[in-house]
């Protein structure tokens, strides 16, 4: 355990290949989150990669599972690199330094925001299926993704959940870069990150021995299998 409100597993620090896959990561992460003894936990997965991790976590903790849809605003020439993110409520934040260094035009940025807003709206329709978010003021939220690189997407999710009335927020991720985790910890009650790593280059995938992208269809199937645990 690190100091302050960041909790990790010392035996996993600075290591790669520590999880077999996302389900294995969820089991290890669940043991860490269980130590928080949250009275009314609600597990919120960030689709799509966070869903398999969150489903295992929810089952292990006996907690309901739901989603918080957030998506990166990606560079036109690199779908893996984001210069901002859009949340489920349509709000967004931009990485101005990256926008300047990439030489993006104001028109290009505006187009990226609107494209991502449409993507998020479509994902909300798919993942929430017309159901509203549960009452966030009566739960201790555990927001889950499969890892934190820059942490920018998670920050946008946190801000949207706070506006929606969240009582408390714990962020739970299997792996994360130390700087991103420290930044997130300033905004929430607790960060549980099993595998803390520093230095560069950093890749979320390096924490997993088996890594593939999670499609929207795969994430929806996992949620359907966990449907009885959803509140909405």
């Amino acid at each position: 355990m690190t100091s302050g409100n960041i909790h990790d597993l010392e035996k996993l620090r600075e290591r790669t290949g520590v999880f077999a896959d996302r389900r294995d990561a969820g089991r290890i992460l669940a043991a860490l989150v269980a130590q928080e003894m949250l009275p009314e936990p609600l597990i919120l997965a960030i689709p799509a990669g966070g869903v398999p991790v969150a489903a295992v976590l929810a089952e292990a903790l006996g907690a309901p599972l739901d989603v918080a849809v957030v998506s990166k605003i990606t560079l036109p020439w690199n779908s893996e690199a984001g210069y901002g993110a859009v949340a489920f409520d349509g709000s967004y934040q931009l990485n101005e330094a990256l926008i300047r260094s990439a030489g993006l035009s104001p028109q290009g940025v505006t187009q990226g925001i609107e494209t991502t807003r449409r993507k998020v709206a479509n994902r909300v329709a798919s993942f929430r299926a017309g159901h509203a978010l549960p009452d966030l003021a009566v739960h201790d939220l555990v927001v889950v993704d499969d890892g934190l690189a820059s942490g920018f997407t998670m920050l946008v999710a946190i801000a949207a959940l706070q506006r929606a009335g969240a009582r408390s927020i714990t962020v739970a991720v299997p792996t994360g870069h130390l700087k991103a985790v420290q930044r997130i910890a300033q905004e929430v009650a607790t960060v549980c990150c099993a595998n803390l790593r520093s230095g560069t280059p950093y890749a979320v995938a390096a924490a997993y021995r088996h890594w593939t992208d999670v499609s929207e269809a795969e994430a929806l199937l996992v949620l359907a299998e966990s449907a009885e645990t959803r509140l909405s």
Side-chain angles (χ1 to χ4, degrees):
M1 180 179 293
T2 62
S3 60
N5 63 337
I6 300 172
H7 300 172
D8 75 320
L9 295 176
E10 184 176 359
K11 65 181 180 180
L12 299 186
R13 288 179 193 165
E14 304 297 349
R15 292 178 54 192
T16 57
V18 294
F19 310 117
D21 53 23
R22 286 179 177 86
R23 291 190 64 82
D24 180 47
R27 287 188 288 269
I28 294 171
L29 186 59
L32 193 58
V33 176
Q35 296 176 19
E36 299 304 304
M37 301 181 67
L38 299 171
E40 295 289 340
L42 168 63
I43 313 301
L44 290 177
I46 295 183
V51 172
V53 180
V56 175
L57 191 65
E59 182 178 5
L61 297 179
L65 173 66
D66 218 300
V67 294
V69 179
V70 186
S71 185
K72 291 186 295 187
I73 308 170
T74 58
L75 293 170
W77 56 85
N78 184 350
S79 61
E80 296 300 316
Y83 61 89
V86 174
F88 54 86
D89 61 355
S91 64
Y92 67 91
Q93 293 185 34
L94 300 175
N95 185 332
E96 298 290 352
L98 182 55
I99 288 171
R100 288 192 297 271
S101 66
L104 292 170
S105 68
Q107 295 83 0
V109 171
T110 299
Q111 183 178 359
I113 293 169
E114 292 309 311
T115 298
T116 308
R117 274 181 164 162
R118 288 193 294 270
K119 175 184 175 181
V120 167
N122 289 336
R123 277 197 157 187
V124 168
S126 295
F127 283 104
R128 300 216 57 82
H131 299 290
L133 275 171
D135 184 356
L136 304 184
V138 300
H139 292 283
D140 301 291
L141 306 186
V142 182
V143 187
V144 182
D145 207 348
D146 52 16
L148 293 177
S150 71
F152 201 88
T153 299
M154 182 63 75
L155 285 171
V156 174
I158 290 166
L161 291 168
Q162 289 171 337
R163 284 192 298 273
R167 180 171 77 182
S168 73
I169 299 176
T170 292
V171 167
V173 290
T175 184
H177 191 281
L178 179 59
K179 286 186 178 180
V181 170
Q182 289 173 331
R183 185 180 181 193
I184 294 293
Q186 296 175 24
E187 306 297 330
V188 299
T190 307
V191 179
C192 293
C193 178
N195 169 236
L196 269 179
R197 294 173 9 234
S198 58
T200 54
Y202 171 88
V204 168
Y208 297 83
R209 297 191 293 278
H210 177 70
W211 173 270
T212 57
D213 289 337
V214 178
S215 69
E216 185 171 313
E218 290 170 327
L220 285 167
L221 180 59
V222 172
L223 287 171
E225 291 171 347
S226 304
E228 66 275 8
T229 69
R230 296 189 70 173
L231 291 178
S232 55

